[in-house]
Each structure stands twice: as structure tokens, then as C-alpha cells.
Amino acid sequence: ETVRAAGREEEGSEEERTGEEEKARVKEEMEEQEEEEIGELVRGLFLSNSHSLVMACLRLMRKYFDNVLSNPRESKYRRIPKQNKAFKTRIASCPRSRFLLTAVGWHEDTDSWRLPADAKLRKMRQAVEEIIQLDAKTSSPLADSPAEIPAAARSEERNSLEASLGRARCMLDLRKSLQ
């Protein structure tokens, strides 16, 4: 009887370990998908906007995100008034920018964007990394200007980005429905 009980305990702990390992694996996969999603949203801004508008938008977003990451407890950095001139001209005027703000945790109110005090900052860090990488590529004198990229390649990249953006939107919708 004691041997059977000990065997059941071992089976139970083995099942618990397997369950915990599965949870960890699923969590890791979801984090990887979120990282891909953030990158796709950043790159997706180029689909319907000029290069200069997108770069101005991303640089201001980076400034907002850096302020939050450097001062996570400061409430003044967790609110962006919609009437702020820089926000209106650089971010609000850039279609699809709201998808990126939402993906990293910001919530839109009637007069501002707010980042909840309990928001996880990992996605925001990922967005900053994506913006830095993109900025480095496009600011380089060796970076291809849009005029130097053949039209067929631009079209193929656009189709790929649109498909990626569609997947990212589906992930956001799914995540919202699960909350």
C-alpha cells in the first residue's frame, strides 16, 4: 500500500512538472509571437505613410516609451494628451500608429492615451528595440532609399507587410477577446 501511494505521488509530481513545462513552453511561444507582432506593427506603418512621417512618428513614440521605461512610476509619462501638438502632427497623423500604441499597452480615452500603472513594459522595450534597429537602417547612408528599390520588390514587401499586419490585428483581437 505504501509503495502504491509513493508511486501515485511520483506520477502526480511528474504530471505537475509536465504541466508546468507545457505552460512555460506556451508562454515562451506567446512572447515570441508578441515580439514578432510588435516588429510587424512597426514595419507596417510604412504601408500607407511616407518615410519621413513614419520616422517622425516612431522617433516620438520612442521618446514617450523611453520616458516610461526610465521613470516607470511617474504618472506624468503614462498619459499623452491627444491635443499635444507633437502628438497630433507626428503620431495621430500617421495612420495605423494607434495599433502600435495599443499593442504595447496604451489605452485610448476621449482626450488622451493612457498607460495603466500595472501595464507590462516588456512589449514597450521590444518596440523601442525595433524602432532603434529600423532607425539605424534607414539613417545609414548605405540604406536603400525607396526610389532605389525596384517597384516589384516594394510591391512584394508591401504584400508581405500587409499579411503580417493582418495577422498582428488578429492576434490583438484574439487577445482582447480573451481578456
Side-chain angles (χ1 to χ4, degrees):
E1 178 97 14
T2 308
V3 172
R4 264 192 249 160
R8 275 186 247 135
E9 283 180 28
E10 280 183 31
E11 285 177 20
S13 64
E14 179 67 28
E15 288 174 9
E16 288 174 15
R17 260 196 315 270
T18 303
E20 289 172 13
E21 289 170 0
E22 180 65 15
K23 284 180 186 176
R25 186 186 64 75
V26 168
K27 182 180 177 185
E28 185 176 314
E29 284 180 12
M30 286 185 71
E31 287 174 357
E32 287 175 8
Q33 286 178 342
E34 288 172 351
E35 288 176 8
E36 289 175 19
E37 174 186 303
I38 298 296
E40 290 169 356
L41 288 169
V42 169
R43 291 184 298 277
L45 291 174
F46 286 96
L47 291 175
S48 59
N49 302 299
S50 71
H51 182 270
S52 59
L53 177 64
V54 172
M55 292 313 299
C57 172
L58 291 175
R59 287 178 181 136
L60 184 58
M61 278 191 188
R62 179 180 172 198
K63 185 179 282 188
Y64 288 141
F65 298 169
D66 281 341
N67 284 339
V68 170
L69 294 170
S70 298
N71 307 285
R73 298 187 200 287
E74 286 283 337
S75 61
K76 70 180 180 181
Y77 295 122
R78 292 176 168 267
R79 182 177 175 276
I80 306 169
K82 287 183 178 178
Q83 294 306 311
N84 175 289
K85 184 179 178 181
F87 178 83
K88 283 174 34 178
T89 59
R90 297 182 199 161
I91 296 177
S93 66
C94 187
R96 299 182 177 174
S97 60
R98 68 177 350 119
F99 296 121
L100 181 56
L101 287 171
T102 302
V104 299
W106 292 85
H107 298 280
E108 186 174 13
D109 290 339
T110 54
D111 64 340
S112 65
W113 282 85
R114 296 183 186 277
L115 184 68
D118 62 347
K120 304 281 187 259
L121 301 180
R122 184 181 51 77
K123 292 180 188 178
M124 196 171 298
R125 282 188 198 93
Q126 176 64 31
V128 168
E129 289 174 19
E130 291 287 338
I131 293 168
I132 290 170
Q133 289 175 5
L134 190 62
D135 199 16
K137 285 180 186 175
T138 59
S139 297
S140 164
L142 301 176
D144 294 329
S145 71
E148 295 171 357
I149 301 172
R154 281 195 309 249
S155 176
E156 185 177 312
E157 183 176 354
R158 180 182 201 85
N159 291 340
S160 173
L161 283 171
E162 285 176 348
S164 295
L165 190 57
R167 287 191 304 274
R169 279 195 202 119
C170 288
M171 289 292 294
L172 281 172
D173 291 343
L174 176 63
R175 206 167 284 120
K176 285 179 185 176
S177 70
L178 294 174
Q179 292 178 349

